[in-house]
Amino acid sequence: MQCNRIQIILHVDKKSKIMVISSSNRYSKNNLDVIKVSSDSKINLKRFINNGQIQIYQSSYRGSYSSIISDSLRNAALGRKVLLVQLMKGGVNQGITNAIKLCGNLTWIRSSHSFDQYNSEEIENNETLKKSIHESTYELWKFCKNELLSGENDQIILDEIFLAIEMKIIDKDDLISTLENRFISGDVILTGTDIPKDLLLMANQITELRS
């Protein structure tokens, strides 16, 4: 089996316990053999000259991305148009039609009926509830897709999108295709705990947040 190799540059900030892995998406004989993908499942890794980077923030536990939200507020205050979507967070009953504006330029949206409003056992034992959560989360993903293709934003943050993939609410290939065809001047930031290798290969930067 032939494997593609991707160059990995590793930097560890001991003080903040953040590990950053940056990928150049260029292959050479001297690259580190860190991530391998079968040639039977190749991804179109075309580069987007007019787009910003794809950044992935990975952590072993949920609720560890407060620094990303802080950065998004700062960017909005500096005049950049930012979209922050928390796909799996709940408790404020937002939904697409009840988005909140912060700093004039940041749009913050959560699902109208979300995973975090209930415990996992309650969801699994109630098919009606499970269907409602999946439908509202998928509706939010469709909104995100349109925004990624619209060219209207300077930065888009899709918080815990990998959990939505793990729960089979969002299709991994649908996310990959949308990212390949995205139209956005700034960066797309994706967060989660269990990240598919296909998405790791697409990323320009991977940051691991350590506890």
Side-chain angles (χ1 to χ4, degrees):
M1 181 185 297
Q2 292 183 345
C3 295
N4 290 329
R5 297 180 178 180
I6 191 165
Q7 185 176 13
I8 300 294
I9 304 168
L10 178 64
H11 170 71
V12 178
D13 184 339
K14 294 182 179 178
K15 184 177 180 181
S16 57
K17 297 184 180 179
I18 295 177
M19 179 174 69
V20 179
I21 304 176
S22 298
S23 133
S24 64
N25 286 345
R26 296 178 182 272
Y27 303 114
S28 71
K29 294 181 180 179
N30 296 323
N31 286 344
L32 298 176
D33 190 10
V34 177
I35 301 174
K36 295 183 178 181
V37 173
S38 168
S39 58
D40 296 330
S41 59
K42 289 182 179 177
I43 302 297
N44 180 10
L45 297 176
K46 60 185 178 180
R47 301 182 70 87
F48 301 90
I49 298 174
N50 296 322
N51 286 324
Q53 294 186 340
I54 295 174
Q55 298 183 18
I56 289 178
Y57 283 74
Q58 181 177 16
S59 175
S60 59
Y61 59 95
R62 298 184 64 201
S64 56
Y65 306 109
S66 57
S67 61
I68 300 172
I69 297 176
S70 298
D71 286 343
S72 69
L73 286 167
R74 181 183 62 190
N75 286 331
L78 291 173
R80 301 184 71 196
K81 187 174 181 181
V82 180
L83 174 64
L84 169 60
V85 180
Q86 295 183 289
L87 288 142
M88 308 303 287
K89 291 287 191 295
V92 291
N93 196 30
Q94 284 186 358
I96 297 169
T97 57
N98 295 311
I100 294 175
K101 282 282 189 179
L102 300 171
C103 298
N105 293 307
L106 188 148
T107 303
W108 171 39
I109 308 177
R110 289 182 171 184
S111 175
S112 59
H113 197 191
S114 70
F115 172 78
D116 264 1
Q117 291 175 272
Y118 309 90
N119 61 57
S120 57
E121 184 177 345
E122 187 178 4
I123 295 171
E124 287 302 318
N125 294 333
N126 189 327
E127 286 299 321
T128 302
L129 176 61
K130 184 177 181 179
K131 181 180 179 182
S132 176
I133 291 171
H134 279 228
E135 287 177 348
S136 61
T137 305
Y138 186 72
E139 179 186 21
L140 188 52
W141 164 237
K142 289 195 296 183
F143 170 82
C144 294
K145 285 177 65 175
N146 290 333
E147 292 298 310
L148 282 163
L149 301 172
S150 70
E152 295 294 323
N153 299 281
D154 298 310
Q155 184 183 59
I156 295 178
I157 302 159
L158 304 180
D159 185 40
E160 293 197 303
I161 190 166
F162 299 116
L163 179 57
I165 291 174
E166 182 182 344
M167 295 182 64
K168 303 188 184 305
I169 300 174
I170 297 173
D171 182 70
K172 178 190 71 175
D173 292 335
D174 192 15
L175 173 59
I176 289 172
S177 175
T178 304
L179 290 174
E180 287 179 332
N181 293 287
R182 72 191 188 281
F183 180 50
I184 173 172
S185 61
D187 299 336
V188 177
I189 297 175
L190 314 173
T191 78
T193 54
D194 188 13
I195 302 170
K197 289 183 179 179
D198 297 348
L199 273 302
L200 289 173
L201 281 172
M202 292 186 73
N204 301 99
Q205 176 177 301
I206 303 166
T207 301
E208 181 179 346
L209 304 175
R210 296 177 174 176
S211 59

